[in-house]
Amino acid sequence: MSEEKLVLAEVHGKVGLLTLNRPKALNALNNEIMQQLSDALLAFEKNDNIHVIVLTGSEKAFAAGADIKAMQNWTYMDVYKSDYIGGFWETMKTSIRKPVIAAVSGFALGGGCELAMMCDMIIAAENAKFGQPEIKLGTIPGLGGTQRLTRAIGKAKAMDLVLSGRFMDVAEAESAGLVARVLPVEGFIQEVLKIAEGMAAFSSPVLMMAKQCVNAALETTLEQGLAYERRVFHATFALEDQKEGMAAFVEKRPPNFKNM
């Protein structure tokens, strides 16, 4: 492992910003960059002063896929025994309770598209392009491309992208439901940080509870999801922040959340 910083970390108030930093490879994902990303995510997760995390790349590429050169000559046993793209590649979904925003500019292809979908929402620049072109390499998506993409945009669109390998521009991605918001390229990351800072001003435990409930909608029946939502809603009444938020509303003043 080199000591090269492949993931840059910055703090903007209550927002943690992580930037993929392999510009010459268009931020292609390999074990080294994903290990550094995992470590950086966990560091922000443990930092009580950070309420929201933003993950971005460069203006040209969020991440243009997995590193094909790195895996070109691997065998089935190489990838099976190492559980390639398991483990720390999945830290985003297995260990991060705080909201994570993918700020996508340029290409988000293959593993890059899958990494963006592992975040809680995607905010895209007007030049963003998404796709799962693994079919062109004689393989299939392996980091959730057939699963999360189908849940996000439906079977027909997912089949089209996965079987044709074509790219989807940002207008189609937004209309299909993959992208939450589209912003101009100029000043893109600053605008995303403003959105994140707005979220981060809310109660951190309530942000995490809300995230859990939305995610549960994809994994439960409607009846089970409604019951879970109601129990979590009830649980918020044990928080000081719920008391403060409602008192502030009644008293017509800004709330002063203590994250308790």
Side-chain angles (χ1 to χ4, degrees), residues 35-241:
Q35 181 66 72
Q36 290 189 26
L37 177 59
S38 174
D39 293 343
L41 284 167
L42 291 172
F44 278 154
E45 176 71 14
K46 294 174 183 176
N47 185 340
D48 290 339
N49 294 321
I50 299 297
H51 292 188
V52 176
I53 301 169
V54 174
L55 175 63
T56 194
S58 67
E59 182 176 317
K60 188 174 183 179
F62 175 77
D67 193 333
I68 307 304
K69 290 181 180 179
M71 59 176 139
Q72 178 182 0
N73 296 316
W74 292 347
T75 67
Y76 168 72
M77 288 310 297
D78 290 332
V79 294
Y80 178 74
K81 290 174 70 176
S82 67
D83 190 27
Y84 180 58
I85 65 177
F88 56 80
W89 283 68
E90 298 182 304
T91 295
M92 183 85 71
K93 297 307 294 183
T94 60
S95 304
I96 306 303
R97 297 188 299 162
K98 296 174 181 178
V100 183
I101 299 172
V104 175
S105 181
F107 295 110
L109 307 176
C113 185
E114 292 169 309
L115 179 60
M117 289 190 291
M118 290 172 75
C119 299
D120 297 305
M121 59 186 287
I122 300 173
I123 298 177
E126 291 173 333
N127 68 336
K129 287 183 171 59
F130 301 86
Q132 298 292 161
E134 289 88 347
I135 198 79
K136 298 178 180 180
L137 302 173
T139 187
I140 67 169
L143 194 61
T146 65
Q147 303 302 303
R148 292 191 180 97
L149 189 64
T150 303
R151 286 165 170 77
I153 66 175
K155 178 183 175 182
K157 285 279 189 186
M159 279 288 191
D160 182 12
L161 291 177
V162 171
L163 298 186
S164 73
R166 74 175 180 88
F167 297 170
M168 181 165 61
D169 66 22
V170 74
E172 183 181 3
E174 183 183 29
S175 66
L178 181 63
V179 167
R181 308 192 199 186
V182 179
L183 301 174
V185 175
E186 186 176 353
F188 172 64
I189 195 62
Q190 288 77 19
E191 289 303 311
V192 176
L193 286 172
K194 287 180 183 178
I195 294 169
E197 287 162 0
M199 295 179 184
F202 300 128
S203 166
S204 182
V206 174
L207 284 170
M208 290 189 283
M209 288 175 170
K211 168 178 171 170
Q212 283 181 304
C213 286
V214 174
N215 283 335
L218 297 175
E219 299 166 0
T220 62
T221 65
L222 177 59
E223 183 178 2
Q224 292 168 331
L226 288 169
Y228 180 68
E229 176 191 74
R230 190 165 300 115
R231 295 297 174 262
V232 177
F233 167 70
H234 291 166
T236 65
F237 283 72
L239 298 174
E240 290 185 22
D241 284 344

